[in-house]
Amino acid sequence: MFKNFFLCVVLFCVINYLNSAEIYSLKKNYEKVVTIEGTDQNSIKRGMQSGLSTLLVNLTGNSKISNQSSITKMIDSPETYVTQYKLGSKDGKIVATFIYEGDLIRSYLSQNELPIWLSDVPLILTFLPCVEIDKSTQNANELEKCNELKNNLESLSLERNAKMTRPLMDLTDINYYDTLGSIYPQRFMEIISRRYEIDSWIFCFTKDEFGLLLEEPKCQSSFGNVRLSPQEMFNDLLDDINSRRSLVVNKNIQNKTKIRLEGINSFYALENTLEDLSTQVLIYNVSILEISGENVEINLSHYGSREDLLSLLDIHENYKKISNLSQDIIAFEYFKG
């Protein structure tokens, strides 16, 4: 009896703690720091527009979102979404810190049927021959261009909420590169991306096929064969990745869906399960209905339709839907923890 009571108290504390944590897509407020030209109202408004534009790219996962007519209208009145701001200085420049109201922005996106990006941070396998292969033979000019390329990609990754990783370049990778890299870079990247089990990749060049230094680096990626500037290619790749991991969140539609998770064989696994569900963008409340052996029945309060919730869970590799005869409950196997 006491054991069951203690378990209920612990679960209650865990659920309340997890539900109180904010995730990026559903935060109440967003802070953006922007360099502005002056302290006059026009300069401040332009700063508000710049911060809002950057925020919308992160919320929707789309670098071209500002081309939407409804977003253009939104950015024309940025002060609608700013709750407060303050001015300061840094390195001799005027900076403004703007606080944007998340609920208002999400409401506008929902009303105009625009997506909200929801997923784990994308992982991109990045290969730069000037870093991995040619560094020891570079002159000062080549080294400068290589470092600039590397820094630009790191800045883009930070701006777009992505993570970059590099291959180990052990004997296996080096053999692949010697065989394919300089002649068939796409084939080389496809092979090592399978080796590291990372679907998305980017390969950037500082030299042409004759070994001559390019005026500007060029990149190609898993998104396509065309070689573009690092910024164009990186944004196109992230836009493609995020488009497959986005949903329209309409907070005016609220539902409850019962699910069963199978394979929960420890309290640690249960804790991970509750934490993972509580951080999903559509879900705003998680309550346990029943624990039976390794199966847990959970009631999820969420925005959008039941189909939206299923689409959300299908996006995440932690959940695998299990065939179930009952129409009242959806069964999943949970793989994390």
Side-chain angles (χ1 to χ4, degrees):
M1 179 77 173
F2 178 77
K3 183 178 179 182
N4 291 335
F5 174 76
F6 177 74
L7 178 60
C8 290
V9 170
V10 172
L11 290 177
F12 178 80
C13 293
V14 169
I15 293 169
N16 276 279
Y17 169 76
L18 294 173
N19 284 334
S20 66
E22 283 188 311
I23 58 173
Y24 189 83
S25 298
L26 288 180
K27 288 178 65 175
K28 293 291 292 182
N29 298 298
Y30 298 90
E31 179 179 296
K32 289 292 179 182
V33 180
V34 180
T35 301
I36 59 176
E37 297 175 355
T39 58
D40 58 283
Q41 289 302 309
N42 286 335
S43 296
I44 293 172
K45 181 172 181 176
R46 286 194 293 271
M48 290 180 181
Q49 291 174 320
S50 175
L52 182 58
S53 296
T54 302
L55 176 57
L56 288 170
V57 170
N58 289 334
L59 278 176
T60 64
N62 187 348
S63 66
K64 302 176 181 63
I65 194 67
S66 60
N67 295 335
Q68 297 272 353
S69 58
S70 55
I71 293 297
T72 301
K73 183 179 179 181
M74 183 185 192
I75 293 175
D76 283 342
S77 302
E79 60 277 0
T80 304
Y81 307 95
V82 175
T83 58
Q84 58 180 296
Y85 72 89
K86 62 181 179 180
L87 302 180
S89 62
K90 183 178 180 180
D91 299 328
K93 297 180 180 180
I94 303 171
V95 294
T97 302
F98 300 108
I99 306 296
Y100 297 89
E101 187 170 343
D103 285 340
L104 281 177
I105 295 173
R106 283 186 293 273
S107 176
Y108 188 90
L109 293 176
S110 297
Q111 290 169 9
N112 289 274
E113 299 183 350
L114 295 170
I116 291 181
W117 171 66
L118 41 91
S119 181
D120 295 330
V121 174
L123 183 63
I124 301 172
L125 183 64
T126 307
F127 185 77
L128 311 178
C130 70
V131 171
E132 310 293 352
I133 303 296
D134 305 328
K135 199 163 188 176
S136 62
T137 62
Q138 291 170 347
N139 59 38
N141 191 25
E142 291 174 329
L143 186 61
E144 182 181 356
K145 282 188 177 293
C146 185
N147 288 334
E148 183 179 354
L149 169 62
K150 182 172 175 289
N151 292 336
N152 285 344
L153 287 175
E154 289 174 352
S155 296
L156 286 168
S157 176
L158 185 63
E159 290 172 7
R160 293 299 308 271
N161 289 333
K163 288 184 180 179
M164 295 191 304
T165 187
R166 293 159 53 187
L168 293 174
M169 293 314 294
D170 55 11
L171 288 176
T172 301
D173 288 342
I174 291 173
N175 286 335
Y176 284 142
Y177 183 80
D178 289 342
T179 305
L180 298 168
S182 58
I183 304 174
Y184 305 108
Q186 181 172 348
R187 181 61 180 152
F188 164 69
M189 291 303 297
E190 288 171 349
I191 290 174
I192 66 168
S193 66
R194 285 198 297 270
R195 184 185 183 204
Y196 292 99
E197 298 182 349
I198 300 174
D199 294 332
S200 303
W201 56 262
I202 188 168
F203 186 127
C204 294
F205 310 81
T206 54
K207 296 179 180 179
D208 63 18
E209 60 270 27
F210 303 107
L212 300 176
L213 194 64
L214 294 168
E215 186 174 339
E216 295 292 339
K218 294 294 182 183
C219 300
Q220 68 183 85
S221 74
S222 50
F223 178 60
N225 296 327
V226 180
R227 295 185 183 182
L228 301 171
S229 70
Q231 182 169 356
E232 288 176 303
M233 182 54 70
F234 197 89
N235 281 329
D236 284 352
L237 176 60
L238 263 293
D239 290 350
D240 179 63
I241 295 170
N242 293 341
S243 68
R244 290 176 270 124
R245 295 174 175 262
S246 299
L247 285 176
V248 174
V249 180
N250 188 344
K251 296 189 74 173
N252 295 319
I253 302 175
Q254 298 183 7
N255 279 299
K256 290 186 177 181
T257 299
K258 188 189 299 183
I259 68 169
R260 183 175 68 244
L261 295 181
E262 301 184 2
I264 309 298
N265 53 19
S266 67
F267 180 75
Y268 176 74
L270 178 60
E271 186 179 21
N272 278 344
T273 300
L274 297 175
E275 180 177 7
D276 193 63
L277 287 171
S278 297
T279 57
Q280 303 307 315
V281 70
L282 290 178
I283 299 170
Y284 61 86
N285 189 54
V286 179
S287 59
I288 295 176
L289 299 176
E290 182 182 347
I291 299 177
S292 177
E294 295 188 353
N295 298 336
V296 181
E297 290 191 7
I298 299 173
N299 201 43
L300 302 177
S301 299
H302 60 92
Y303 303 113
S305 66
R306 177 178 165 130
E307 288 70 27
D308 289 335
L309 178 66
L310 291 179
S311 296
L312 170 65
L313 296 180
D314 283 342
I315 286 172
H316 293 274
E317 60 185 14
N318 295 341
Y319 302 97
K320 180 181 179 182
K321 191 175 179 183
I322 302 171
S323 298
N324 186 43
L325 296 177
S326 173
Q327 298 293 321
D328 297 326
I329 190 166
I330 308 166
F332 291 92
E333 188 173 359
Y334 186 70
F335 288 98
K336 185 177 179 182

